[in-house]
Every structure is written in C-alpha cells, then in structure tokens.
Amino acid sequence: MYIGGLDIGTTGCKLTVFDENGKQLHKSYCDYPVKRMSGAHETDAESILDGVWKVLTDTTKKYADIAGIGITSFGETFVMTDEAGKPLHPAMLYTDPRGKEQCRMLCEKMKEERIAQISGVKPHEMYSLPKLMWLKEKEPELYKKAKHVFLMEDFVVFHLTGQAKIDYSLATRTMGFDIRRLEWSREIFEAAGIDVNLMSETVPTGTAAGTVSRAAAEKTGLSTKTKIVCISHDQIAAAVGAGVFDSETAVDGAGTVECITPVYDEIPDINVMTKGNYAVVPYVIPGKYVCYAFSYTGGALMQWCTDTIAKKEKEEAGKLGISVNELLEKQSVSPTGLLVLPHFAGAATPYMDTGSKGAILGLTTAVSAADIYRGCMEGVVYEMVLNMQWLKPSGIRFRKLHATGGGAHSKEWMQMKADMLNMEITSLETVDAGTVGSAMLTGIAVDCFKNLQDAAEIMVHKVCTYKPNKEMHEKYMKIYQRYELMYDAVRKLM
C-alpha cells in the first residue's frame, strides 16, 4: 500500500510517497513565485495549483495506485474564488501589510480580549480575517462575486475532490475559528462583516474529505479511489511526525525557522498566551492543544553566517570533503562570550516585532568566523530559553524534546540545546517531520495504521538522545541574564 504526504509551502510544494512499512519511495518538488512589493506580499493561487498538478503527475508515472494523500499547508494565506474554485485575485501572504486598519476596527467592535478568548489568537493583521475585511472594503465587486474563501489546504482539497473542507488547526489561522466549540465563530464573522458561509466546512485534523474526482483523476493520473485527507497547518503535521502526543514532550523544529511546539492537556490561560503572542491551536488528539514558540531565523541564521562571513571556511571545507557547518563547529567552543540577537528577519514570539533587527555584541579582533557562527547558534537557543520563560505561567510541563529538521543532525547544536534548556533532547532521523506526520495521518485514514501510536512505531525513528550537562547549563544561564536585556537595549537604538 502506498500513502502520500503533500506539503504546500509558501514558495513550493512537495509530494512524498511511503509504503506501509514507512519507507520513503519517492519525492517530487515544484516551486512557484512569490511577489513582494512595498505595499503587497502576494502569491498566485493558480500557480500553487499548477505546482500541485505537476508533483502529482510526476509521482503517478511511478506510483499511480496511491491509497491516500494527505494535504498540509502554510497558514493564513487565503483566496476568494468563484463557484468552480477559480481564484478572483492574488492571494495575500501573512507578511502583507494590508489589513492593519481593518484589524483595529474589528477590535473596536469586539474587545481584543474577547476575540482572543474565542479564537485562541491575539488579533493581528497577519491573519486571514482582517485581510478579507480589507478586500471587501477595497474590492467590493470582487467580494460580491466570491462563492468560496479557501486557505491553501482546502483550496487544493476542493480541486482534488470537489469538497470544501478545512481542518481545525488551519482554520485557527484565520482568527475566526472558535477553538472551544470547534466551529466558525459567527460572532467574530458578523463583527467583521464577512459572510461565514463562504468558508469551508471545518473538520477534525486527519479527516478524509473524499476521493479524487474524475476530472482530477484524468488531470493527474490518480485513481478515483484515492482518498484525499485534510491534514493540518504545517506545524501541527510536524508535531505528529515528531511522535509528540502528550504534554510530557515537545517538538523542537530545527529548520530554517526555529520552533518549539508544546502540547497542553487543556486550553491554557488565554490572557497569559496573548501577552507573548502565542497562538492556541486544537491538536489532532481531541481535548489537547498546542502553541508555537518560534524565531524567524533558526537554521537561516547559520546559513547567513556561512554565506556571508565564512566564505573562506566554505572553500576549506570543500577541499576537506566536509560541510562548512561541521568545520566551523570544530573550530570554536561554547560559551563563546558573544551575545547574538537572532532577529535578522524581525522578532517572532514573544515580541512579534517585524521591525526588530539582529545584533552581535562582544566582537574583538580575536573573534573568528567560527566564533560568530557558534554565537549565532547560541543566540537562537537563548531566544528559545526566553520563550520558555514566557510560557512558564501557561502551565507547560514538558521534560524532553524531539528534534526534527536539518539542525537535528548537528551534534554540537543538539548538545547546546540540551545544556541551555536543561532537558533531554532526542534527534529524529527525518528532516521533514511535516511530511511524515501527513503520511501518518493519511495512513490512519486509509486503514494502513491502527492509530497514532502504531503509525509512530513505524514512521518515527529516533537517532540519538542528548542529556544536559549541569556545569554547562550554569555557564549558559549566567550569560542568559545578559541576553534577556538585549532586545530592549538594541530596539531603542534600531
């Protein structure tokens, strides 16, 4: 039996096929353009769909009889369409500045606290609803023509099955979903002046939306018996793919973005969560919720360092036949004594300050490229320590981490995280936990796996567990006391 995970990202989509034993058989990828201008950050939903058709047709040349394909996608971005699902406008990305005034107006009609209590998110223009309000105000004729409002998961599900269905976790990214009742909030939609009937039906994460339509089968080569499954927002799929199902363990997503995802056994105090801009999101297990604590620059900061500062070391590593990351990690030790504020792409939680800038403090003529590289590694982890301090009042209780992503293969970085956070961290084999999580939930939907635990035993593979060093933890915490002061100090100047 073959199962697939289709991951729709901001700049590209990929489809990965596994067999019933969890073995990866095939991967197909297609990128698409993103347009960023001073007043608009947009993507073309038609191009995204074309990318989906391409990876599907590439895959069915070898694996046509796929039992099920799960769809996961990035959040917030939406598109209004006609009855047939044809986009009426370019889709606005979460970074698009439009919607700020509309978000303010919505908060005047409903108190910000009330919106957060219902939706689990602090009101912000990044979410779908304020941008929908902007479109209705600025493009009223387009809004009148709209028959559907889709995020990317349900947009693709609709084109594959004819069914308009979206899972709970992605629905949360609109700012209009009731995380307690697990349905669209008519109160919020009425205050926003948006017709809730334009939205897709909300369903639990991992729900089979239907089978491939005849038209989609002819276009892609898929069977009309193939089930299409509504998976989730990509971070939820990654948590599933990391085998994290209870509040004792959290996910460390060590990718381009650094993200820790804790699990809660019930809805945490929303007032505590909104202070740090943490979203509360329904999880795949009924009654459980997660939040996202993240930095925009995780592995991206190390990439910047190797591309910009360590060019000489990059050449040297090539001659030695090793990665530049491995070389740099060997040439420096922790703690470096440097303080690196990793806000090179703005600040994520707890600040959510896109205007914040990165900084490197403590430079001398004795500092090497390797020191700066390691200092960047330290800075990313200090930012996560900061987030964990902010989240303590919310009742987080995890005692260990499961690490995924490219950074999980760095022994130095994993040990650093164990030492700083003072807890065990287990690296997982897979770099792409989201794809694995999508395949796991798809496998359950098509009766390939009995349940999450059964799927995890087959699909989730642990590599190494790193235990904290008490002496190193104490050294890092002395430096962390200064790190806590960095944001306020730098922000006043920049």
Side-chain angles (χ1 to χ4, degrees):
M1 180 183 287
Y2 302 137
I3 50 177
L6 176 59
D7 183 4
I8 303 163
T10 309
T11 57
C13 63
K14 60 177 173 286
L15 175 62
T16 308
V17 178
F18 300 84
D19 65 17
E20 68 274 14
N21 298 314
K23 182 182 178 182
Q24 181 177 310
L25 303 173
H26 174 82
K27 181 184 285 187
S28 180
Y29 176 82
C30 180
D31 57 14
Y32 29 77
V34 169
K35 184 171 64 176
R36 297 183 190 273
M37 301 176 291
S38 59
H41 295 173
E42 298 174 334
T43 188
D44 180 10
E46 288 273 23
S47 294
I48 291 176
L49 192 59
D50 287 342
V52 169
W53 296 139
K54 184 179 186 303
V55 296
L56 286 170
T57 52
D58 284 351
T59 300
T60 55
K61 291 173 184 176
K62 290 185 176 180
Y63 302 97
D65 53 341
I66 300 174
I69 296 174
I71 315 293
T72 185
S73 81
F74 63 107
E76 296 91 39
T77 298
F78 69 92
V79 66
M80 298 190 302
T81 77
D82 63 14
E83 190 70 51
K86 184 175 178 57
L88 299 174
H89 61 96
M92 287 187 278
L93 296 170
Y94 76 96
T95 53
D96 193 298
R98 291 172 290 181
K100 187 172 185 176
E101 178 63 18
Q102 287 70 24
C103 189
R104 185 192 63 77
M105 292 167 58
L106 178 57
C107 290
E108 287 180 354
K109 292 182 180 180
M110 284 181 73
K111 285 187 179 295
E112 183 177 297
E113 295 79 6
R114 175 63 179 163
I115 296 172
Q117 286 290 337
I118 294 171
S119 68
V121 299
K122 184 177 181 179
H124 193 279
E125 63 268 19
M126 70 181 282
Y127 297 112
S128 315
L129 204 53
K131 295 188 189 313
L132 261 172
M133 293 170 66
W134 185 93
L135 270 174
K136 182 182 179 182
E137 179 183 330
K138 305 298 182 182
E139 301 281 355
E141 294 306 313
L142 277 184
Y143 180 80
K144 288 178 184 177
K145 292 179 181 178
K147 300 300 179 184
H148 296 282
V149 172
F150 291 121
L151 276 71
M152 293 305 104
E153 174 197 66
D154 48 323
F155 177 64
V156 172
V157 166
F158 180 79
H159 280 278
L160 285 171
T161 66
Q163 301 294 315
K165 295 182 180 181
I166 185 172
D167 93 289
Y168 297 158
S169 70
L170 194 62
T172 302
R173 306 309 291 174
T174 64
M175 205 176 93
F177 183 72
D178 189 324
I179 61 170
R180 290 174 174 81
R181 296 183 176 180
L182 300 177
E183 61 186 27
W184 295 118
S185 169
R186 293 188 175 273
E187 181 182 350
I188 295 177
F189 271 86
E190 285 174 9
I194 300 297
D195 183 3
V196 71
N197 295 311
L198 293 171
M199 310 304 292
S200 298
E201 176 189 351
T202 58
V203 296
T205 297
T207 296
T211 54
V212 173
S213 68
R214 188 167 297 281
E218 291 175 358
K219 196 174 189 71
T220 63
L222 288 168
S223 165
T224 54
K225 294 179 181 179
T226 300
K227 286 185 179 180
I228 300 300
V229 184
C230 301
I231 300 298
S232 64
H233 184 217
D234 49 17
Q235 293 294 348
I236 294 291
V240 173
V244 171
F245 307 129
D246 60 52
S247 55
E248 294 290 317
T249 310
V251 184
D252 171 43
T256 303
V257 169
E258 174 73 20
C259 182
I260 290 181
T261 307
V263 178
Y264 293 87
D265 294 321
E266 58 187 5
I267 295 177
D269 187 329
I270 297 296
N271 291 327
V272 171
M273 303 303 279
T274 55
K275 283 179 184 177
N277 294 286
Y278 299 106
V280 179
V281 185
Y283 195 35
V284 62
I285 301 166
K288 294 187 185 294
Y289 293 78
V290 302
C291 82
Y292 311 134
F294 66 105
S295 169
Y296 289 129
T297 49
L301 187 53
M302 267 51 76
Q303 184 69 47
W304 168 83
C305 191
T306 57
D307 290 346
T308 308
I309 294 174
K311 293 180 179 179
K312 178 182 174 184
E313 288 75 12
K314 207 170 188 178
E315 289 181 11
E316 184 182 343
K319 293 174 183 176
L320 294 172
I322 61 174
S323 72
V324 63
N325 309 77
E326 187 180 347
L327 178 66
L328 290 167
E329 287 173 8
K330 289 178 179 178
Q331 293 179 343
S332 183
V333 295
S334 291
T336 60
L338 298 175
L339 287 176
V340 178
L341 188 67
H343 298 175
F344 285 52
T349 57
Y351 308 114
M352 293 308 292
D353 179 3
T354 55
S356 184
K357 302 291 192 297
I360 304 175
L361 304 183
L363 293 171
T364 70
T365 54
V367 170
S368 68
D371 293 330
I372 295 173
Y373 179 86
R374 186 175 286 268
C376 288
M377 293 170 68
E378 292 171 348
V380 170
V381 188
Y382 281 133
E383 191 79 346
M384 290 299 102
V385 175
L386 178 79
N387 273 277
M388 294 308 101
Q389 296 294 331
W390 275 72
L391 281 171
K392 269 187 178 178
S394 74
I396 52 170
R397 50 190 291 253
F398 63 90
R399 300 174 183 175
K400 55 186 177 180
L401 288 164
H402 282 182
T404 71
H409 296 303
S410 167
K411 294 180 180 180
E412 291 286 337
W413 208 12
M414 290 299 99
Q415 187 61 55
M416 184 188 293
K417 289 180 178 182
D419 293 341
M420 278 199 200
L421 293 162
N422 199 29
M423 65 178 64
E424 285 188 4
I425 179 165
T426 299
S427 61
L428 304 180
E429 185 178 75
T430 179
V431 170
D432 193 354
T435 298
V436 170
S438 182
M440 286 166 64
L441 290 169
T442 302
I444 295 169
V446 299
D447 298 322
C448 180
F449 307 130
K450 295 176 184 176
N451 50 41
L452 285 170
Q453 287 70 29
D454 180 42
E457 284 181 16
I458 295 170
M459 301 284 292
V460 180
H461 306 294
K462 298 178 181 180
V463 176
C464 181
T465 295
Y466 301 84
K467 298 182 182 295
N469 179 304
K470 183 180 178 182
E471 183 181 346
M472 288 300 295
H473 175 70
E474 290 172 353
K475 287 182 179 179
Y476 283 129
M477 287 306 97
K478 286 180 181 178
I479 298 169
Y480 173 72
Q481 291 175 7
R482 289 185 286 129
Y483 179 84
E484 282 185 298
L485 307 175
M486 272 195 83
Y487 171 74
D488 287 334
V490 173
R491 196 66 179 99
K492 290 172 184 176
L493 298 173
M494 301 299 292

